[in-house]
Structure formats: C-alpha cells, structure tokens
Amino acid sequence: MEKECVVYILRCRDGTLYTGWTNRLEARVEAHNQGKGAKYTKSRRPVALVYWERQADKAGALRREREIKRLSRAKKLRLVAKKEDEL
C-alpha cells in the first residue's frame, strides 16, 4: 500500500509561492528550510507552509500539483486564504 501523499504550497521569504508534493510533509518543509529541497526555494529561505491537501496516491498528488501550478497567483492565494479560514 502506498503512503498518503500531500500537495503543498510554501510562501518563500521573497513572497513568492512554491508548490510541491511529498509523502512526508514535515520532513519536506524542513528540507526546504535547510536548503536541501527544491533549487527554487534554496535561495528564498526561510519558507513557511501555507497550504496543504491530502491525496490518496502519488498519481493524484502529481495531477493536483500540476493543476495548482497552472493557477494564477491570485487563485493560489485564495486557496491559501481558504485553508487559513479552516484552521
């Protein structure tokens, strides 16, 4: 059985947003903040987790990651705001 996957959005130090997926969210965010995550976030540390959603499997996570990456910044920020309202 596959581990549950998570699609996430990080807010970088410069205010930009980064979208990715993982099956170990806390460890992945920590890796980004240690400069061991994506090349994009390496020079934009620290990063903060601002959005996440669970997916049943890797295929679903990759599909949703692609969908989110295609959204405009404004739509991504609406996702983030909606998550903040849920918390």
Side-chain angles (χ1 to χ4, degrees), residues 34-55:
Q34 292 175 352
K36 299 175 185 173
K39 185 177 178 182
Y40 183 85
T41 59
K42 191 172 189 174
S43 63
R44 293 172 169 86
R45 296 178 289 152
V47 299
L49 179 65
V50 294
Y51 179 85
W52 66 95
E53 64 181 56
R54 291 178 174 86
Q55 296 293 320

Side-chain angles (χ1 to χ4, degrees), residues 2-64:
E2 259 187 81
K3 291 182 182 180
E4 180 179 68
C5 296
V6 179
V7 177
Y8 62 92
I9 298 176
L10 302 175
R11 185 183 316 270
C12 300
R13 182 186 68 217
D14 63 1
T16 59
L17 300 172
Y18 173 83
T19 304
W21 78 275
T22 185
N23 55 20
R24 297 182 56 220
L25 185 58
E26 287 182 29
R28 185 67 174 148
V29 174
E30 186 177 321
H32 281 290
N33 275 319
Q34 292 175 352
K36 299 175 185 173
K39 185 177 178 182
Y40 183 85
T41 59
K42 191 172 189 174
S43 63
R44 293 172 169 86
R45 296 178 289 152
V47 299
L49 179 65
V50 294
Y51 179 85
W52 66 95
E53 64 181 56
R54 291 178 174 86
Q55 296 293 320
D57 56 24
K58 181 180 177 180
L62 289 169
R63 187 171 29 258
R64 183 62 176 145

Side-chain angles (χ1 to χ4, degrees), residues 45-87:
R45 296 178 289 152
V47 299
L49 179 65
V50 294
Y51 179 85
W52 66 95
E53 64 181 56
R54 291 178 174 86
Q55 296 293 320
D57 56 24
K58 181 180 177 180
L62 289 169
R63 187 171 29 258
R64 183 62 176 145
E65 178 191 26
R66 250 187 336 270
E67 289 172 1
I68 292 174
K69 284 183 173 185
R70 289 179 181 147
L71 294 176
S72 67
R73 178 176 171 81
K75 289 182 179 179
K76 289 177 191 175
L77 290 172
R78 281 197 285 271
L79 279 178
V80 170
K82 185 176 178 183
K83 178 60 94 175
E84 290 172 348
D85 288 345
E86 291 174 5
L87 300 177

